[in-house]
Amino acid sequence: MTATQEPNVIDIRDESTRSAVAVAEREPDTQAVDLVAGERRERRAKAASSSTDVSSVISRGLTTFSLLVLAMLVFLFVLSGFAEARTQVGLQRRFAKSVENLAAPTGGVIDNGTPVADLRIPAIGLHQIVVQGTTSGTLRAGPGHLRATPLPGQVGNSVLFARREAYGGPFRHIGSLHKGDEILVWTMQGRARYRVDSVFTTRATRGDPIGTTAGKNQLTLVTSDPPYVGTSRLYAQAHLLDKPWAGSSDPNPLDRDELGLSGENDGILSLVLWLEVLLIAAVGSVWLWRRWTRWSAYLVCVPIVLASAWIVFENITKLLPATL
């Protein structure tokens, strides 16, 4: 019996040994699989984290861009009106003083921004000082006189441009004028009375009645149409009721940016420089926010950022249509 049982014992031991060896051989494979799986999970976690970071950056970028656009619109159609009103107060004093001193211009070459006339349209409640020049930057101060045409009250067709919506929108309501409405203009030469003949719109691609009209002494008011877009021109034309005065216009040729539907391309460099200033102010504000107390950072940074943003917005408006 003992002799016959020994092989069985040896066989059992051999099977146990083989099983143990097999398990031992399989354990490294299991560990390798677990290691690979762990690496995969780690890569997936990193990828998910990276994707989250990108999404966060995009989301913050879009939010910042949206806020900047909203701030620009608020500035253009609300806050800029306060700036124009303040400028008009100074222009009224300046024009009255120049008339009193007999120093107001009466024609020829006149510096841009110089007050040249006092315009009043009772039917729409308009009272504005007219400045020389019709570029986008000049029309931030109020209505502008097209320098290639005579001043109001003089022989020929005097043309005035003004904004439709931005910077107070001086010519916002000229589309509601009716035939027979009166327009009054004061210059160094005296008061000129006009009576409205027609109000109409023309496309920018068509010929525009903004030059001298032979045999007619009239006033032409020009702004953009439709509102907020500025792809066409809206006109209000009126004939002179009084005897015209002699006068002269600027003989130099007009540039494209003086015709109301384009901005000033030379304002791009100024815009880029002020955008850099705004960026530096923003980065500096974040740096101070992390190192100073909240109110200290507010008091120092907010005025600087707001002032920089205001100047940036003003430079942007110079690139937009002058009569917008």
Side-chain angles (χ1 to χ4, degrees), residues 42-58:
E42 185 177 354
R43 285 198 297 269
R44 284 197 296 268
K46 289 181 178 179
S49 177
S50 177
S51 177
T52 302
D53 292 341
V54 172
S55 299
S56 177
V57 170
I58 294 175

Side-chain angles (χ1 to χ4, degrees), residues 75 271 323:
F75 167 81
L271 173 61
T323 53

Side-chain angles (χ1 to χ4, degrees), residues 140 267-282 303-316 318:
R140 291 183 300 188
I268 295 178
L269 178 59
S270 177
L271 173 61
V272 171
L273 293 175
W274 279 106
L275 280 173
E276 292 177 354
V277 172
L278 178 60
L279 179 60
I280 293 172
I304 296 175
V305 171
L306 290 180
S308 302
W310 185 283
I311 298 176
V312 166
F313 293 156
E314 283 192 331
N315 279 274
I316 292 176
K318 289 182 67 175

Side-chain angles (χ1 to χ4, degrees), residues 177-194:
L177 289 174
H178 298 91
K179 185 175 181 179
D181 286 340
E182 190 176 47
I183 299 176
L184 304 173
V185 188
W186 279 264
T187 68
M188 181 65 196
Q189 294 171 297
R191 185 189 70 173
R193 295 181 301 138
Y194 290 89

